[in-house]
Amino acid sequence: MSRKFETIVSEVLEANVNGLKMSGEKMQQTLTDLGVDSLDVMLVLMEIQEKTGVMIPEDQADILQTPAQIAEFLKAND
Amino acid sequence: MNPLKFHIGIQEIATYIPQTCIDNLEQGKRFDVEESFILEKIGCRSLPRLSEGESVTSACASAYQRLLQKLPVDSQEIECIVVCTQTPDRGGIPHTSALVQAAIGASENCACFDIGLGCSGYVYSLQVVASFMQMHGMKKGLLFTCDPYSRILDADDKNTSLLFGDAATVTLLSDAPRFTSEFVRFSTRGSAADALTKQDGLMHMNGRAVFNFALTDVVKQVSEVIETSGVAKESIDLFLLHQGSRFMIENVIKKIGGIQDRSPVSLGETGNTVSSSLPILLEKVMGDSSINRLLMSGFGVGLSWATAIYSRNEESAA
C-alpha cells in the first residue's frame, strides 16, 4: 500500500518540478535538496491531496520534509 | 441569472503606475531568495511604490489626468465616483471618493462612495457602479481602484514584500460603452478570512491557503460561468485573471485548460496590484478590435472571488 503512495508522490513531483527525475534514493532526500521550492511544495501537496483524497493539514505540511515522509503520512491517514 | 441588460459599461480606462520602484531582485537578496525564483515564480522584477507625498487620492487624480489625455471628459458631467480600496486615505474618514471628487473638480451633484474589496474588487465594483448608474439614469461615472498595500506590508515578511505593487486606475463608465457585461457570478467565503488579513496593522498571508483557493474555487467558478452563461469557451477572445503571482496564474490557466494562448501573464513591472491588476490588463486591449468578448476573474481577500464575461458593444465597434 505504501508503494502506491510512493508512486503517486514520485509522479506528482516529476510532473510539477522542472527536470526532476525521481528514484528510490531520492525518496529519502529533503524536498529542498531535490530542488523543490516553497511554491512547488504547495502545488505538489495539492495535487497529491486531489489524487489520494487524503487531506494534508497546514501543520503537517511544514513537517513533511522528504517524499518518503509524505508517502508515509498518506499511508497512515488513508 | 443576469436579468439586467446593461447599457452602461466600460468606455475607457487609464492607469497610474508610480515612478518610484523597488528593485525586486535587490530586495530578494535581503531575504536570500534566488533571482530565478523571483522572476519565474513570483514574476515581478520591479515593484512600484507610492512616494511618501502621495496618497490614494493623489494617485487616483493622477490616473484621472491620464484619462483626460486619452479623451475629453468634463468633470462637471461626472455623476458618480466610486473608489475601490482597502487602504483608504485618513483611515476611511471621510470616504476617499469624496476626496477624489474634490481633487478632480467634479460637481457636487455627484454620488460618491467607496467599496472595500481587494483583488475581487474590480469585477464586483464594475457591476455595482454600472447597476447604480443605470438604475438612476446616470450617464457618466468613474470607478477608481487603488490599494497601496506597501503601506501595510511587514518589511520582514518575504511572502508579501516581494509580491505587492502600488498602482491606481480609473475606468470611465458611460452610456457609450465599448464593453458591457453579459454574465457574472460572485462568491465569498468569510470563514477563510484569515488566509489574507490585516493584523496589528500589517498584512498577513497564508500562501498555501490562497494558492489552494485559486486553483480550486476560482478555476471552478470560471468553468461554471462559461457553462452557465451558455457562452462557448472558444468564443471568448481573452481571459483576464487577477495577477496574483506568476506561479499562481500559470497554474490557474493550466487547470482551466485550453486558454493558455488567450491568457496574459503580465506583472513583471507592477507586481500584484490588488484591485488594479485587471483594469491594468484591460486597458491594453480596449482598442484591440479583435477582442470582442472577454472574461475577467478577480479573487483574493475575503476570501472573495468574482468572474464576469464582457462583450464589445457593436455600436462602439462600428
Side-chain angles (χ1 to χ4, degrees):
Chain A
M1 206 57 177
S2 177
R3 175 71 66 192
K4 179 184 92 174
F5 291 120
E6 285 179 9
T7 304
I8 290 172
V9 172
S10 291
E11 286 176 354
V12 172
L13 280 166
E14 285 185 356
N16 289 293
V17 182
N18 271 347
L20 178 61
K21 287 296 289 180
M22 288 300 292
S23 64
E25 191 184 325
K26 287 183 177 172
M27 290 298 289
Q28 307 297 330
Q29 293 182 16
T30 67
L31 294 168
T32 307
D33 287 346
L34 293 171
V36 186
D37 65 41
S38 57
L39 292 177
D40 293 328
V41 170
M42 292 182 199
L43 181 61
V44 164
L45 292 182
M46 201 188 80
E47 290 214 0
I48 288 172
Q49 285 184 159
E50 285 178 358
K51 280 183 185 291
T52 62
V54 179
M55 288 301 295
I56 306 173
E58 197 69 38
D59 53 345
Q60 284 300 317
D62 296 334
I63 295 168
L64 301 172
Q65 299 287 318
T66 69
Q69 287 173 353
I70 298 173
E72 281 303 316
F73 175 84
L74 295 171
K75 183 186 169 192
N77 292 277
D78 184 29
Chain B
M1 289 295 286
N2 207 12
L4 188 62
K5 171 77 178 162
F6 282 95
H7 65 258
I8 297 289
I10 303 167
Q11 182 178 344
E12 189 54 275
I13 298 173
T15 63
Y16 170 66
I17 311 292
Q19 286 192 328
T20 307
C21 287
I22 285 182
D23 182 332
N24 218 21
L25 299 181
E26 282 300 316
Q27 192 179 206
K29 287 178 188 166
R30 186 161 62 86
F31 293 113
D32 203 20
V33 176
E34 290 180 11
E35 280 192 14
S36 60
F37 186 84
I38 291 174
L39 297 176
E40 292 161 26
K41 294 295 179 68
I42 299 174
C44 318
R45 175 182 286 275
S46 161
L47 297 173
R49 292 281 186 260
L50 292 188
S51 61
E52 262 187 41
E54 290 184 298
S55 62
V56 172
T57 301
S58 71
C60 289
S62 296
Y64 182 69
Q65 288 307 311
R66 281 162 173 73
L67 180 71
L68 295 181
Q69 290 166 12
K70 291 186 169 193
L71 82 170
V73 179
D74 181 351
S75 59
Q76 293 298 303
E77 291 180 359
I78 300 299
E79 296 166 285
C80 172
I81 294 174
V82 175
V83 176
C84 179
T85 186
Q86 295 188 316
T87 46
D89 291 342
R90 305 190 196 184
I93 302 175
H95 44 302
T96 303
S97 48
L99 302 174
V100 172
Q101 180 241 1
I104 68 170
S107 151
E108 289 189 358
N109 296 318
C110 180
C112 294
F113 57 94
D114 293 357
I115 293 179
L117 283 166
C119 303
S120 66
Y122 189 63
V123 180
Y124 265 88
S125 300
L126 278 177
Q127 297 303 125
V128 171
V129 178
S131 306
F132 180 79
M133 287 176 61
Q134 189 155 319
M135 294 308 291
H136 294 286
M138 297 173 177
K139 292 181 177 173
K140 281 185 183 164
L142 298 173
L143 166 61
F144 292 90
T145 63
C146 183
D147 238 330
Y149 272 17
S150 64
R151 303 269 159 94
I152 55 169
L153 290 179
D154 178 351
D156 295 325
D157 179 11
K158 69 177 178 184
N159 292 330
T160 51
S161 290
L162 296 170
L163 191 61
F164 290 102
D166 298 343
T169 75
V170 58
T171 300
L172 172 65
L173 289 101
S174 80
D175 60 351
R178 286 201 270 178
F179 285 98
T180 50
S181 74
E182 280 188 274
F183 193 88
V184 63
R185 180 158 288 184
F186 310 101
S187 300
T188 308
R189 186 178 301 135
S191 59
D194 287 347
L196 263 169
T197 191
K198 194 166 90 168
Q199 289 171 351
D200 301 324
L202 294 173
M203 190 72 192
H204 287 265
M205 179 174 77
N206 178 334
R208 189 181 170 215
V210 175
F211 182 79
N212 288 351
F213 154 67
L215 263 72
T216 51
D217 299 292
V218 174
V219 170
K220 189 177 166 199
Q221 186 183 64
V222 168
S223 301
E224 281 176 358
V225 162
I226 294 168
E227 194 177 322
T228 314
S229 66
V231 171
K233 199 177 187 179
E234 296 69 33
S235 76
I236 299 172
D237 303 308
L238 198 63
F239 290 79
L240 302 180
L241 305 172
H242 166 58
Q243 306 284 294
S245 73
R246 184 178 190 91
F247 186 73
M248 186 165 75
I249 309 159
E250 287 179 344
N251 280 290
V252 168
I253 291 169
K254 198 168 145 189
K255 273 220 146 190
I256 293 171
I259 65 164
Q260 196 160 2
D261 57 339
R262 293 173 281 167
S263 307
V265 179
S266 176
L267 70 163
E269 303 303 319
T270 57
N272 177 342
T273 54
V274 196
S275 53
S276 295
S277 86
L278 288 174
I280 287 172
L281 289 178
L282 185 53
E283 183 197 17
K284 294 173 185 165
V285 301
M286 286 298 291
D288 183 347
S289 58
S290 71
I291 307 297
N292 288 309
R293 180 178 274 147
L294 58 89
L295 178 147
M296 283 190 280
S297 187
F299 46 89
V301 177
L303 298 171
S304 169
W305 61 117
T307 300
I309 294 175
Y310 276 72
S311 58
R312 190 175 288 277
N313 186 306
E314 285 176 12
E315 287 173 29
S316 78

